[in-house]
Amino acid sequence: MKHLLIVAAVVALSGCVSHNFSEGEHTNYSCDGGKEFSSRRVAPALEVYASGATHRLEPASDGQYRSSDGAITLTETGGRSTLSGVHNGPFENCRRSTRWSRFF
């Protein structure tokens, strides 16, 4: 009987699992001028960490995310990214980095 309850609980909880496997995944970027930033997906938005601050960016159009006030923009095109509107920015010609980062 105890095993049946455990199986029933596991089956019930499996319906609660998110199938967005990229959510929470961190991506690190290396940019011109030695600049770096990091992002992570928090569906449907992105959290971007740059220059010591975290910013939430919402999808604006294909390949573009913006802060709610429109001051910060992340644009992704052709494998390159540009982050503008943040302190010490803009972050230009950014590529995904495989280097371990101190972000997040």
Side-chain angles (χ1 to χ4, degrees):
M1 180 69 176
K2 184 177 181 181
H3 294 293
L4 183 60
L5 289 174
I6 291 172
V7 170
V10 169
V11 169
L13 288 175
S14 68
C16 300
V17 173
S18 171
H19 294 289
N20 184 357
F21 297 111
S22 65
E23 186 164 343
E25 182 178 310
H26 297 188
T27 303
N28 301 314
Y29 294 87
S30 296
C31 311
D32 285 354
K35 296 179 181 181
E36 297 178 319
F37 73 94
S38 183
S39 72
R40 74 177 178 154
R41 187 159 312 281
V42 182
L46 285 179
E47 285 184 349
V48 174
Y49 182 81
S51 298
T54 301
H55 308 279
R56 183 177 175 91
L57 307 180
E58 301 291 334
S61 63
D62 190 35
Q64 196 171 71
Y65 294 84
R66 287 194 185 121
S67 59
S68 60
D69 63 1
I72 301 170
T73 303
L74 174 66
T75 305
E76 299 175 325
T77 55
R80 305 287 170 118
S81 299
T82 299
L83 178 64
S84 59
V86 296
H87 180 68
N88 292 328
F91 292 70
E92 298 178 308
N93 197 28
C94 304
R95 294 178 213 99
R96 290 177 185 221
S97 173
T98 56
R99 203 176 92 185
W100 181 257
S101 176
R102 63 189 173 278
F103 302 127
F104 288 105

Short mmCIF file of all heavy atoms in Angstrom, two decimals, residues 1 6 11 15 18-19 27 29 34 39 41 52-53 58 60 66 71-72 82 90 92 100 103:
data_model
loop_
_atom_site.label_atom_id
_atom_site.label_comp_id
_atom_site.label_asym_id
_atom_site.label_seq_id
_atom_site.Cartn_x
_atom_site.Cartn_y
_atom_site.Cartn_z
N MET A 1 0.82 -1.19 0.00
CA MET A 1 0.00 0.00 0.00
C MET A 1 0.87 1.26 0.00
O MET A 1 0.58 2.22 -0.69
CB MET A 1 -0.93 -0.05 1.22
CG MET A 1 -1.84 1.13 1.33
SD MET A 1 -3.06 1.08 0.01
CE MET A 1 -4.02 2.46 0.42
N ILE A 6 3.30 6.16 -2.94
CA ILE A 6 4.49 6.84 -3.45
C ILE A 6 4.40 6.98 -4.97
O ILE A 6 4.66 8.05 -5.52
CB ILE A 6 5.77 6.10 -3.03
CG1 ILE A 6 5.97 6.24 -1.52
CG2 ILE A 6 6.99 6.64 -3.79
CD1 ILE A 6 7.09 5.39 -0.96
N VAL A 11 3.46 10.31 -9.84
CA VAL A 11 2.69 10.54 -11.05
C VAL A 11 1.97 11.88 -10.98
O VAL A 11 1.95 12.65 -11.95
CB VAL A 11 1.68 9.38 -11.29
CG1 VAL A 11 0.70 9.73 -12.40
CG2 VAL A 11 2.43 8.10 -11.63
N GLY A 15 3.02 15.92 -13.42
CA GLY A 15 2.23 16.86 -14.20
C GLY A 15 2.60 18.30 -13.92
O GLY A 15 2.26 19.19 -14.68
N SER A 18 7.89 21.60 -15.36
CA SER A 18 7.99 22.48 -16.52
C SER A 18 8.77 21.77 -17.61
O SER A 18 9.76 21.11 -17.36
CB SER A 18 8.71 23.77 -16.13
OG SER A 18 8.99 24.52 -17.27
N HIS A 19 8.33 21.93 -18.84
CA HIS A 19 9.03 21.32 -19.96
C HIS A 19 9.86 22.33 -20.73
O HIS A 19 10.31 22.07 -21.81
CB HIS A 19 8.04 20.61 -20.89
CG HIS A 19 7.39 19.44 -20.22
ND1 HIS A 19 8.06 18.29 -19.92
CD2 HIS A 19 6.15 19.28 -19.73
CE1 HIS A 19 7.25 17.44 -19.31
NE2 HIS A 19 6.09 18.03 -19.17
N THR A 27 23.67 32.01 -19.87
CA THR A 27 24.49 32.20 -21.05
C THR A 27 25.44 33.35 -20.78
O THR A 27 25.00 34.42 -20.36
CB THR A 27 23.63 32.51 -22.29
OG1 THR A 27 22.68 31.46 -22.47
CG2 THR A 27 24.48 32.65 -23.53
N TYR A 29 28.43 36.01 -22.14
CA TYR A 29 28.82 36.68 -23.37
C TYR A 29 30.14 37.41 -23.17
O TYR A 29 30.36 38.04 -22.14
CB TYR A 29 27.76 37.72 -23.78
CG TYR A 29 26.43 37.11 -24.16
CD1 TYR A 29 25.48 36.84 -23.19
CD2 TYR A 29 26.14 36.80 -25.48
CE1 TYR A 29 24.26 36.29 -23.52
CE2 TYR A 29 24.92 36.25 -25.83
CZ TYR A 29 23.99 36.00 -24.84
OH TYR A 29 22.78 35.44 -25.18
N GLY A 34 36.77 43.77 -24.03
CA GLY A 34 36.90 42.96 -22.82
C GLY A 34 35.68 42.98 -21.93
O GLY A 34 35.73 42.52 -20.79
N SER A 39 23.23 36.25 -19.13
CA SER A 39 21.76 36.27 -19.15
C SER A 39 21.24 34.90 -18.74
O SER A 39 21.96 33.90 -18.80
CB SER A 39 21.23 36.63 -20.54
OG SER A 39 21.43 35.58 -21.45
N ARG A 41 17.26 32.79 -19.00
CA ARG A 41 15.87 32.82 -19.42
C ARG A 41 14.96 32.57 -18.22
O ARG A 41 15.15 31.62 -17.47
CB ARG A 41 15.62 31.75 -20.49
CG ARG A 41 14.25 31.83 -21.09
CD ARG A 41 14.17 31.14 -22.44
NE ARG A 41 15.24 31.49 -23.37
CZ ARG A 41 15.27 32.61 -24.10
NH1 ARG A 41 14.35 33.51 -23.98
NH2 ARG A 41 16.26 32.82 -24.93
N GLY A 52 27.37 44.93 -12.76
CA GLY A 52 26.97 44.83 -11.36
C GLY A 52 25.49 44.93 -11.08
O GLY A 52 25.09 45.04 -9.92
N ALA A 53 24.65 44.92 -12.11
CA ALA A 53 23.21 45.04 -11.89
C ALA A 53 22.46 44.02 -12.75
O ALA A 53 22.90 43.64 -13.83
CB ALA A 53 22.74 46.44 -12.24
N GLU A 58 11.95 42.07 -21.43
CA GLU A 58 10.81 41.36 -22.02
C GLU A 58 11.00 41.25 -23.53
O GLU A 58 11.60 42.13 -24.15
CB GLU A 58 9.51 42.12 -21.72
CG GLU A 58 9.21 42.31 -20.24
CD GLU A 58 8.87 41.01 -19.52
OE1 GLU A 58 8.38 40.07 -20.17
OE2 GLU A 58 9.10 40.94 -18.30
N ALA A 60 10.55 41.91 -27.23
CA ALA A 60 10.00 43.07 -27.93
C ALA A 60 9.69 42.72 -29.38
O ALA A 60 8.67 43.13 -29.91
CB ALA A 60 10.97 44.23 -27.86
N ARG A 66 13.60 44.11 -24.36
CA ARG A 66 13.69 45.46 -23.81
C ARG A 66 13.21 45.49 -22.37
O ARG A 66 12.34 44.74 -21.98
CB ARG A 66 12.81 46.42 -24.61
CG ARG A 66 13.35 46.76 -25.95
CD ARG A 66 12.63 47.97 -26.54
NE ARG A 66 13.11 48.19 -27.88
CZ ARG A 66 12.35 48.19 -28.96
NH1 ARG A 66 11.06 48.02 -28.85
NH2 ARG A 66 12.88 48.38 -30.14
N ALA A 71 14.52 51.55 -21.84
CA ALA A 71 15.87 52.13 -21.75
C ALA A 71 16.97 51.13 -22.07
O ALA A 71 18.04 51.51 -22.55
CB ALA A 71 16.09 52.70 -20.35
N ILE A 72 16.74 49.85 -21.81
CA ILE A 72 17.76 48.81 -22.01
C ILE A 72 17.28 47.86 -23.11
O ILE A 72 16.14 47.41 -23.08
CB ILE A 72 18.03 48.04 -20.71
CG1 ILE A 72 18.51 49.02 -19.63
CG2 ILE A 72 19.04 46.92 -20.94
CD1 ILE A 72 18.58 48.41 -18.25
N THR A 82 24.12 42.63 -28.97
CA THR A 82 24.45 43.98 -28.52
C THR A 82 23.54 44.31 -27.36
O THR A 82 22.32 44.14 -27.45
CB THR A 82 24.26 45.01 -29.65
OG1 THR A 82 25.12 44.68 -30.72
CG2 THR A 82 24.57 46.42 -29.16
N PRO A 90 27.73 50.82 -24.47
CA PRO A 90 27.09 49.58 -24.89
C PRO A 90 28.08 48.41 -24.93
O PRO A 90 29.28 48.59 -24.99
CB PRO A 90 26.58 49.90 -26.29
CG PRO A 90 27.54 50.92 -26.81
CD PRO A 90 27.96 51.73 -25.60
N GLU A 92 29.08 45.63 -27.27
CA GLU A 92 28.91 45.38 -28.71
C GLU A 92 29.71 44.18 -29.18
O GLU A 92 30.70 43.81 -28.59
CB GLU A 92 29.32 46.62 -29.49
CG GLU A 92 28.45 47.83 -29.16
CD GLU A 92 28.88 49.08 -29.89
OE1 GLU A 92 30.08 49.42 -29.82
OE2 GLU A 92 28.01 49.70 -30.50
N TRP A 100 34.01 29.93 -17.93
CA TRP A 100 33.28 29.95 -16.67
C TRP A 100 33.17 31.40 -16.22
O TRP A 100 34.12 32.15 -16.27
CB TRP A 100 33.99 29.13 -15.62
CG TRP A 100 33.25 29.11 -14.33
CD1 TRP A 100 33.55 29.82 -13.22
CD2 TRP A 100 32.07 28.37 -14.02
NE1 TRP A 100 32.64 29.58 -12.23
CE2 TRP A 100 31.71 28.70 -12.69
CE3 TRP A 100 31.28 27.49 -14.72
CZ2 TRP A 100 30.60 28.14 -12.07
CZ3 TRP A 100 30.17 26.94 -14.09
CH2 TRP A 100 29.85 27.27 -12.78
N PHE A 103 29.22 35.43 -12.99
CA PHE A 103 27.88 35.99 -12.97
C PHE A 103 26.88 34.99 -12.42
O PHE A 103 27.02 33.80 -12.56
CB PHE A 103 27.46 36.42 -14.36
CG PHE A 103 28.40 37.44 -14.97
CD1 PHE A 103 28.95 37.23 -16.22
CD2 PHE A 103 28.77 38.58 -14.27
CE1 PHE A 103 29.80 38.15 -16.77
CE2 PHE A 103 29.63 39.50 -14.82
CZ PHE A 103 30.16 39.28 -16.07
#
